[in-house]
Amino acid sequence: MAWVSICILTDADTRTLISTASRRYYADAALAAWGLLCLPWAIRWWPAAVIAMAALTLGYRRARASSAVLTTLIEAIVARLACGDG
């Protein structure tokens, strides 16, 4: 319900910022998930362990950074709306 309220109360530029940050976070989390999915192949094929660990590490680090950006953006929008500046 909060997303609907934020989308209704904000302008198009703000919705674009939220959408872009959210898509970036989902893409980074998907990279980490692919790393987890590749991990079982390491039992049969050793290069899969290197690929899985690289994808998992990179996805995790990128997801942490993009989640920080997304949460900062959401906090700023909610604070602005709470003050009545929206």
Side-chain angles (χ1 to χ4, degrees), residues 51-66:
I51 295 167
M53 292 309 295
L56 188 58
T57 303
L58 183 63
Y60 174 76
R61 288 184 180 177
R62 288 176 58 180
R64 280 193 55 140
S66 60

Side-chain angles (χ1 to χ4, degrees), residues 14-75:
T14 305
R15 286 191 299 270
T16 302
L17 283 173
I18 292 173
S19 171
T20 303
S22 181
R23 274 187 268 126
R24 175 67 187 258
Y25 172 70
Y26 291 143
D28 295 340
L31 178 61
W34 275 108
L36 285 174
L37 287 173
C38 290
L39 204 53
W41 286 99
I43 295 170
R44 301 286 244 153
W45 189 52
W46 71 267
V50 176
I51 295 167
M53 292 309 295
L56 188 58
T57 303
L58 183 63
Y60 174 76
R61 288 184 180 177
R62 288 176 58 180
R64 280 193 55 140
S66 60
S67 69
V69 170
L70 181 61
T71 55
T72 302
L73 180 62
I74 292 170
E75 286 176 357

